[in-house]
Amino acid sequence: METVGVTEDRQEVVPRAIGDFIAGTMGGWAQVVVGHPFDTIKVRMQTQPSPPVYASSMDCLRATLRGEGAAGLYKGVTSPLAGIGFCNAVVFAANGFFLRLLQSGSTEPLTLGQKAMAGGLAGGVMSFLNCPVELLKVKLQTQYGAAAVPGYKPYTGVLNCGIRTFQERGITGLYRGLGITILRDIPSFWAYFGLYEGMKAAFVYRRLGVADGSKSNGVEQFMAGGLAGISAWLGAYPQDVIKSRVQMDYKFKSARAAARALAQEAKGGNWRIFFRGFGPTILRAFPANAATFVAYEWTVKSLGL
């Protein structure tokens, strides 16, 4: 079943929109279960001070398992499990909406560029949900060792973190880093949905001689989703590092200030500062997003859309 599902004779816009929402939720849950341990390592690598605490991602993994056990890898999972499930539902529903909007009044199939554009627009919508969800996740993931800090009361969970953040800083505190999140998500989802549709069509063409993504099977969807997940990060990772820094550390008054601090740290050829945690991110990207699209496509098919 093709992700976009836009054909000239499809009239059931509301059922399709609801189906996209349900399927997106299932895809989001699959993504979190598979990908959260990688994400925890990524965030800890991104937000560690200079000089760094961890020598490498593997060192971070070993230290986390030694100090906190396997549960440490799932710190903050409640926020993305609830939030990313919903956010994923919104981004898939938004992607479907923009696809139908671009298709409106035309009997010609959408081009790959138009499908990518719909994805980018959906990413812009997604940013407004991603920002507070990821802020709470980052706060919880980076409070390791916080109990040893005099006068600091660690967050007890995502609800406690959200309430305290709102009480201390209001709604703007929950949306700290929104601008850089938008600058990350628009190009990221442009690549994400564009490459997914392109790779599905390419795989089907290789197998059947026709570039029709709607004829893709589970293996092709798995491969296309994994590659799409990797592509989504390639042009957006430095923005993600800046976002994590500004959401975690209030000494930065803005994303621009965080970017300047990172640029200062990068002087002397230490440009890798902008790619801290890139390894676990890419390792996570393939299986997590492969699971996302397989779960999405399976749900769409199960709903008969």
Side-chain angles (χ1 to χ4, degrees):
M1 180 67 65
E2 188 176 2
T3 299
V4 298
V6 179
T7 59
E8 61 178 316
D9 60 346
R10 185 178 295 280
Q11 301 296 323
E12 297 180 335
V13 174
V14 173
R16 177 68 206 209
I18 294 172
D20 281 337
F21 192 89
I22 295 170
T25 301
M26 296 300 291
W29 287 344
Q31 181 183 116
V32 172
V33 170
V34 173
H36 194 78
F38 295 95
D39 191 68
T40 296
I41 300 302
K42 179 204 75 171
V43 170
R44 291 188 174 187
M45 289 295 294
Q46 286 179 340
T47 57
Q48 63 179 325
S50 185
V53 175
Y54 307 112
S56 66
S57 296
M58 283 303 298
D59 181 45
C60 181
L61 174 62
R62 284 191 293 267
T64 300
L65 290 173
R66 186 168 55 248
E68 304 166 68
L73 295 173
Y74 279 92
K75 264 193 171 179
V77 74
T78 308
S79 175
L81 198 59
I84 290 179
F86 180 71
C87 288
N88 219 57
V90 169
V91 79
F92 274 90
N95 182 58
F97 169 79
F98 288 119
L99 286 167
R100 289 187 287 274
L101 188 65
L102 291 170
Q103 183 77 65
S104 179
S106 174
T107 58
E108 293 296 318
L110 294 176
T111 66
L112 186 58
Q114 288 174 313
K115 293 175 183 179
M117 182 189 300
L121 292 170
V125 173
M126 177 80 153
S127 302
F128 289 87
L129 297 173
N130 255 346
C131 186
V133 168
E134 293 188 2
L135 180 135
L136 299 182
K137 174 178 68 67
V138 166
K139 281 176 172 286
L140 287 165
Q141 287 174 323
T142 56
Q143 70 169 0
Y144 52 93
V149 179
Y152 179 80
K153 184 180 179 182
Y155 300 116
T156 58
V158 65
L159 184 61
N160 175 255
C161 182
I163 291 172
R164 283 173 56 183
T165 300
F166 181 77
Q167 288 175 338
E168 293 166 6
R169 300 185 180 272
I171 192 68
T172 56
L174 292 172
Y175 276 91
R176 181 175 171 83
L178 176 61
I180 193 66
T181 304
I182 293 172
L183 291 177
R184 181 198 65 178
D185 285 352
I186 289 177
S188 180
F189 282 98
W190 181 91
Y192 189 60
F193 284 106
L195 190 76
Y196 178 68
E197 295 295 340
M199 291 305 300
K200 272 202 313 180
F203 287 141
V204 173
Y205 182 79
R206 182 179 179 182
R207 179 166 54 90
L208 300 177
V210 56
D212 185 354
S214 66
K215 300 182 187 301
S216 61
N217 58 36
V219 173
E220 290 162 344
Q221 292 158 9
F222 182 90
M223 293 299 297
L227 292 170
I230 291 172
S231 74
W233 281 110
L234 294 180
Y237 197 79
Q239 298 97 298
D240 190 63
V241 175
I242 295 167
K243 180 198 72 70
S244 292
R245 283 288 187 98
V246 78
Q247 288 184 330
M248 183 273 293
D249 197 337
Y250 283 100
K251 76 180 180 185
F252 300 119
K253 300 300 183 183
S254 65
R256 182 176 296 180
R260 280 198 298 265
L262 281 165
Q264 187 68 28
E265 290 180 45
K267 281 186 176 179
N270 188 27
W271 55 269
R272 291 181 182 83
I273 192 77
F274 286 100
F275 290 91
R276 273 185 180 171
F278 188 68
T281 299
I282 294 302
L283 286 175
R284 170 192 181 274
F286 191 97
N289 289 286
T292 298
F293 276 107
V294 168
Y296 172 82
E297 298 278 11
W298 179 85
T299 306
V300 166
K301 185 176 180 179
S302 297
L303 293 172
L305 298 173

